[in-house]
Amino acid sequence: MKHRFNVHSNNANSARKSAGSAVALLAVALATAPGAAYADDPLVIEPGSPKVMTAAEPAAYYTIARGPDWVPVDYRRDVIPGSALDFSRFSNDTPAGSHGWLRRVGGHFEFEGRPGENVRFYGANICFDACFPTQEEAELLVRRLKATGYNSIRLHHHDEAWAKAHASRKVEKSNSAFYGDDIDRFDYLVATAIKAGLYVTTDLYVSRSVKWRDIEIDRDGEVPKAWFKALITFHEPAFRNWLAFATSFMEHVNPYTGRRYADEPGMPLVCLVNEGNYRVNWAKTAQLPCVREAWSRWAAAKLAEDPYFAGGDDISDPARLKWNKLGRFTHTALATFMAEMEEKSYARELAAMREIGAKALFTSLNHPPFHAPDHAVRQRLYDYFDDHCYVDQPFWPQRKWRLPAGLNNLNPLLDPEFRLPKDAFNRLWGLPTTMSEWNFAGPNAWRGMGGLLTGAMAAGQEWSGVWRFAYAHHRDVLRDGAGGFFDIAKDPLNMLAERTAVPLFLRGDFAPLPRKIALMIDEKAQRPKGSQMPAFFPEWRAEAVWRSQVGVAFPGTEVSGAEAFDLTSVMDDAVPPLDLGNPPQMRIDREAGTFAVETPLTCGGFATNGTISAGALTATVVRGGPTTIAATSLDGKPLGESGHVLVTHLTDAQAEGRQFGDETRTRMLAWGHQPTLIRDGEAEIALQAPLVNNPFQVWALGTDGKREGIVASRFEDGRLLFTARVRGPNGACMAYEIDGNVNDTGFPMAAGAATASTTTN
C-alpha cells in the first residue's frame, strides 16, 4: 500500500499542538512528503544495524531515553499459565476443525457441526520466515499466541520460501539443503496450531518471485509483484504459473495431520490473490502489451454499445485514467473494466480450486478502493468479503522499507482521513466481513487505543474475523529485540491492548449495534454516466459507524431491520435523516479526540488528560500524554459484581535510543535498541466493586502476568480506588490484577506467582 501524506488543519493540528505551531507542522509535512530528498538524514538499514550518517547533522533530534519521561520495562513474553494475562481462556479448547467445515450463512460464519452458532476469528499475521520455525519454536509461538487469546492465525508472505522448498524436493537432496526443511517446518507449525485450536487462514499468492521467462516473456529479471497479480488475469502463462503453485500447495499432504491442505477444515479461509487490486501502479501496469490489448478490445466494445459510456472522455490510453485509492472517485471506465476482468479471473481461479476438491471458503481483491462493480462481482462469486486497514502506516521518502520513515503521528480520532470508519462502509451486506490485516502501527504515540477501538468496532459491526498485521515477520521476533512498525510481539503496549480487543470481539462483550444502514447499489450506481465512479464514503460516515452497522447492498439482498438509502444520492452528500446520538456502549467526542466504551464485562476509554467515564470504570489521567485505560472481567461476571478484574494502563512504548527529527515524531531516523521504554504516566482508577468488606487486593503485574507487588487501595462510595503509576520499583508497570480472593473461576494463579506484600506506590 502506498501512503498519501496529508497536511491537516483544525482538529488534526490540535492533536500535535504541544509539539509546535501549525507553521512548524506545515514545514515538517512538506519536508517529509514522499519523494522529498534528505541530504543530511541518517539512514538505518534495518533494526539493530549501525546508523550511517552524512557529514551534515540536523540541528536537533528527539531521542527516546530513560529518565523522567521514560521508564524501562522488563518485557517477559511467556505468560504464566493461569495468570491474569493468560487469555487462552477466551479461545478454542478443541482442535481446529473439530466441528466440521466452516460455512457461510448469510452475513456470518457457522460450523457444519454447530448450526445456528455465529463463529468469529481473532488473531494475527505470521509472515516470511516466521512461518518456518523449528519444532521447538513452533510450540513456543503457538503457546504465546494462545495466551494472547487468539483463536486463529494468518500465514502470510510464505509463498516464496514454500515454492523454493517445493522445487528443491524435485532435485537431488544434496542440492536442497538450504530449503529442504522449510515445508516440514511449515507443516509442523500448521499442525501444532490446529491441535491447539488455532484456525489457519492463508493466501495462494502474496509475494512469490517470478522471473519474466517463467511466464514466457523474453526479458531479464523478475516480474514486479504488482504486475504479476495483473498478469494472472491478462497473460495465460502467468495464470498457469499461479495455478501450478496454488495446486501444489493445496494438494500437499501435511504429514503431521495426514490431510491435504485442500481437505483441512482447520484451514477454512483462503485468499486466492492477496491485494490483487491492480489499480496499484496502474499507470505502469497499463503499459504491458497484454493489458493494453485487453483494454482496447473491451473499450471498443463498450463504446460501440454506448458512445457516451465514458462520459465523452478519451479512454484510448488506459494509463491516463485516474484512480484515487483513499478518495471518493475512480474513473468509471477503469472501475468497470477492472471489475469485469476480475470476475472472469476469479471465476477461473475458483473453479480450479473446486476441481481439485478444495472445500475452504475463498475470497480475493482485498485492497481498496472498492466500487459498485467490484461488489457486484463479490456478491455473485465470493464466499466472504475481506479488507485491509492501517492507521499511520509509515512511508519512505528515500528508499522503501528503509529509514528515514515518515509518520503522521496524529490522534486518529482527530485525523479527517482516519481509515477505520471509512473502511466500515466497504462491508457488503449478505457476506461475512473480515479484516485480515489491520494495525495501529508503531511508533505512533496513540496506538494504545487500537485494541479497544478496533475490538469495539469489529464487534459492533458484526464482522466475522480480524487479524493484526502482524505478530511476527521473522523468527527472530521470538527473541529479544527492538520493536518496529508492525510486529506486536516486540511491542508490549500492543500486546496488552490485545487483552481488551479479545474479550470485546471474541467473548462478545461489545454487542452488535442494533441500528443498520444499507446503502443500496442500484443500476445507476453500478454504471453511472460520466467519468466518476464513487466509492462508499459518504460525508457522514465517521459519525454513523460508531452508532450503526453500515454497509452496501444490492436490490434483493435481505438486511433485516436495515434503513435503506440510495447510494447515488448519499454520495451526492445528501445526509440521511438519522438520529446519530451515542449508543449506550460507545461515546465518541470527535472535538476532544476521546472515546469511552461501556459494556457489562469490559469498560475503558482514551484521553490525553482529564477523566474517562466508562460505566463501572472511572479513570482520571493525571499525566503521561495519550492514555488508554480499560478494565475487563476475568470471571465472566459484570464488572460491578466481578471478583477478578484486569486493568490496563497504556501510555506509549518506544525502543531506547529511537531517534526522530524533532518532538513531533513525524520523521523517524533510527530504530533504537532494547530495552523498551514506557512513557511515564499516572492515573487515578475508580472501579465499582461488589462489597466493601470483600478482601480485595490490587496487584501490579509484570508483562508475563506475574504478581510483582500489592498496590495500595481503598473503598469509597462502593468503588475500589487506586493509583496506577507507570514507574514502579521493578520498572514500568502497565497492568493490574484486582483479586477478590474468589477462587471459583477455574483459572487459579500459577504456582510460584509472586505473593510479596511490598506496596508499589
Side-chain angles (χ1 to χ4, degrees):
M1 297 182 181
K2 290 185 177 178
H3 183 98
R4 174 192 36 72
F5 192 94
N6 290 298
V7 180
H8 301 300
S9 59
N10 301 329
N11 286 340
N13 278 336
S14 70
R16 294 204 213 104
K17 62 183 179 182
S18 63
S21 68
V23 174
L25 290 174
L26 177 60
V28 170
L30 294 174
T32 57
Y38 296 135
D40 58 351
D41 272 352
L43 181 64
V44 178
I45 303 305
E46 59 186 12
S49 67
K51 186 172 68 173
V52 179
M53 303 289 292
T54 59
E57 291 273 350
Y61 292 130
Y62 179 73
T63 302
I64 304 297
R66 68 182 76 191
D69 294 331
W70 296 93
V71 185
V73 63
D74 181 10
Y75 184 22
R76 304 188 296 270
R77 307 183 191 192
D78 292 304
V79 170
I80 298 171
S83 71
L85 294 183
D86 181 8
F87 271 38
S88 61
R89 66 193 73 182
F90 294 113
S91 60
N92 308 314
D93 57 1
T94 57
S98 297
H99 306 302
W101 278 96
L102 194 68
R103 291 289 177 256
R104 164 192 151 195
V105 180
H108 66 273
F109 296 132
E110 294 181 7
F111 289 125
E112 286 178 325
R114 290 190 170 180
E117 295 185 17
N118 190 350
V119 175
R120 289 179 178 175
F121 300 104
Y122 191 91
N125 283 255
I126 311 297
C127 305
F128 293 105
D129 69 10
C131 295
F132 305 92
T134 65
Q135 291 191 3
E136 181 181 5
E137 289 171 337
E139 291 167 2
L140 173 64
L141 175 60
V142 167
R143 284 197 304 271
R144 290 178 175 177
L145 296 169
K146 287 287 290 184
T148 309
Y150 295 155
N151 68 349
S152 180
I153 56 173
R154 181 179 185 233
L155 298 179
H156 191 55
H157 285 294
H158 60 292
D159 48 342
E160 169 82 349
W162 202 96
K164 289 180 177 178
H166 180 73
S168 74
R169 289 186 169 188
K170 296 181 178 181
V171 300
E172 294 182 9
K173 187 175 181 180
S174 59
N175 294 329
S176 60
F178 186 75
Y179 296 106
D181 291 337
D182 275 356
I183 288 182
D184 185 77
R185 289 181 173 189
F186 185 90
D187 289 339
Y188 189 81
L189 174 60
V190 170
T192 303
I194 288 173
K195 182 179 179 181
L198 293 171
Y199 283 82
V200 177
T201 178
T202 193
D203 316 84
L204 298 182
Y205 182 80
V206 188
S207 52
R208 178 171 55 89
S209 298
V210 177
K211 293 182 172 59
W212 285 106
R213 291 187 177 88
D214 291 342
I215 56 172
E216 301 177 19
I217 294 177
D218 188 17
R219 180 172 173 178
D220 293 335
E222 295 180 349
V223 185
K225 293 171 177 56
W227 287 6
F228 181 75
K229 294 173 185 180
L231 288 169
I232 293 171
T233 298
F234 297 104
H235 186 56
E236 182 65 20
F239 171 78
R240 292 198 300 266
N241 183 284
W242 173 88
L243 180 61
F245 174 86
T247 302
S248 67
F249 181 83
M250 294 298 284
E251 291 198 318
H252 171 71
V253 176
N254 186 330
Y256 298 102
T257 64
R259 295 184 291 272
R260 297 187 310 162
Y261 284 130
D263 300 322
E264 179 52 72
M267 188 184 284
L269 300 171
V270 177
C271 177
L272 295 172
V273 179
N274 177 66
E275 297 190 347
N277 190 334
Y278 40 87
R279 293 179 181 92
V280 178
N281 295 324
W282 172 247
K284 293 182 178 179
T285 301
Q287 302 297 337
L288 294 169
C290 58
V291 176
R292 295 187 72 84
E293 290 170 11
W295 175 270
S296 296
R297 291 193 301 270
W298 178 87
K302 289 292 183 184
L303 291 173
E305 179 182 333
D306 179 1
Y308 298 99
F309 163 73
D313 290 350
D314 178 5
I315 60 172
S316 59
D317 182 2
R320 297 179 61 188
L321 301 184
K322 303 297 184 182
W323 72 277
N324 192 334
K325 176 179 156 186
L326 296 179
R328 296 179 56 196
F329 297 104
T330 290
H331 197 284
T332 295
L334 184 56
T336 305
F337 171 75
M338 290 181 173
E340 293 185 11
M341 297 302 105
E342 165 66 11
E343 181 163 18
K344 295 177 182 178
S345 184
Y346 183 89
R348 192 180 187 195
E349 295 159 14
L350 180 63
M353 293 299 97
R354 297 302 185 206
E355 187 175 332
I356 64 173
K359 301 179 181 68
L361 301 179
F362 288 94
T363 192
S364 198
L365 202 67
N366 47 10
H367 189 296
F370 304 116
H371 300 89
D374 303 332
H375 268 7
V377 175
R378 292 186 181 90
Q379 187 195 47
R380 289 191 289 270
L381 297 178
Y382 283 28
D383 292 316
Y384 63 102
F385 166 61
D386 186 41
D387 197 1
H388 295 167
C389 179
Y390 292 88
V391 176
D392 208 1
Q393 186 178 17
F395 62 93
W396 319 100
Q398 288 186 348
R399 183 182 173 194
K400 196 170 184 179
W401 301 113
R402 298 292 184 267
L403 296 185
L407 311 160
N408 278 336
N409 199 36
L410 289 169
N411 177 344
L413 295 174
L414 298 178
D415 184 353
E417 300 303 325
F418 184 25
R419 280 282 308 280
L420 197 58
K422 283 187 173 185
D423 280 19
F425 272 95
N426 291 332
R427 177 217 202 130
L428 177 58
W429 286 108
L431 288 183
T433 295
T434 64
M435 186 78 72
S436 63
E437 294 183 21
W438 79 275
N439 207 349
F440 283 54
N444 184 289
W446 283 265
R447 70 187 185 281
M449 72 165 67
L452 186 65
L453 195 63
T454 307
M457 172 172 278
Q461 295 293 327
E462 283 198 281
W463 295 346
S464 296
V466 186
W467 290 264
R468 277 263 196 181
F469 190 89
Y471 184 83
H473 271 72
H474 301 287
R475 287 166 55 199
D476 66 359
V477 167
L478 297 173
R479 300 178 287 276
D480 291 335
F485 299 114
F486 301 112
D487 288 354
I488 67 170
K490 289 187 175 182
D491 185 357
L493 188 83
N494 266 334
M495 287 302 296
L496 283 172
E498 294 291 69
R499 265 67 177 192
T500 303
V502 165
L504 284 171
F505 185 69
L506 278 188
R507 187 167 65 180
D509 291 4
F510 197 101
L513 294 169
R515 166 176 261 158
K516 299 177 182 178
I517 295 175
L519 306 184
M520 303 306 296
I521 301 176
D522 58 12
E523 184 67 22
K524 182 180 179 181
Q526 292 185 62
R527 301 184 184 281
K529 298 294 183 182
S531 62
Q532 292 187 327
M533 174 74 72
F536 311 131
F537 303 155
E539 291 301 314
W540 41 269
R541 63 185 181 268
E543 303 307 317
V545 297
W546 309 116
R547 300 161 172 82
S548 309
Q549 293 189 52
V550 298
V552 296
F554 290 86
T557 301
E558 182 178 351
V559 186
S560 178
E563 301 169 69
F565 298 92
D566 176 69
L567 174 64
T568 304
S569 62
V570 165
M571 292 312 300
D572 289 336
D573 296 335
V575 180
L578 295 176
D579 174 12
L580 295 177
N582 278 298
Q585 297 180 101
M586 173 76 82
R587 292 190 303 279
I588 300 282
D589 187 334
R590 297 277 294 180
E591 294 298 319
T594 64
F595 73 90
V597 172
E598 178 183 337
T599 78
L601 299 179
T602 296
C603 293
F606 168 85
T608 301
N609 52 59
T611 299
I612 299 168
S613 297
L617 173 70
T618 301
T620 300
V621 178
V622 178
R623 57 186 174 83
T627 302
T628 304
I629 299 173
T632 296
S633 169
L634 298 178
D635 58 13
K637 299 176 183 178
L639 282 173
E641 304 170 14
S642 176
H644 200 195
V645 177
L646 174 68
V647 174
T648 53
H649 173 216
L650 308 180
T651 54
D652 189 10
Q654 301 290 335
E656 186 170 31
R658 179 163 290 166
Q659 195 172 74
F660 299 90
D662 56 32
E663 290 187 355
T664 65
R665 286 167 49 181
T666 56
R667 199 166 141 217
M668 180 171 151
L669 308 177
W671 292 99
H673 53 79
Q674 285 291 290
T676 297
L677 305 182
I678 308 301
R679 181 67 179 257
D680 195 15
E682 181 178 328
E684 298 296 336
I685 308 296
L687 186 68
Q688 292 178 11
L691 293 173
V692 172
N693 60 355
N694 269 18
F696 277 93
Q697 287 184 328
V698 179
W699 296 86
L701 298 180
T703 59
D704 59 355
K706 180 181 178 181
R707 291 175 167 180
E708 298 286 0
I710 296 173
V711 177
S713 61
R714 69 187 191 278
F715 278 99
E716 186 176 297
D717 297 328
R719 301 182 301 170
L720 179 67
L721 309 178
F722 71 95
T723 301
R725 293 189 180 95
V726 170
R727 189 180 299 275
N730 300 311
C733 177
M734 297 182 285
Y736 301 85
E737 178 184 3
I738 300 174
D739 187 358
N741 291 334
V742 180
N743 192 25
D744 61 357
T745 67
F747 306 107
M749 292 301 297
T755 58
S757 60
T758 305
T759 183
T760 63
N761 60 342

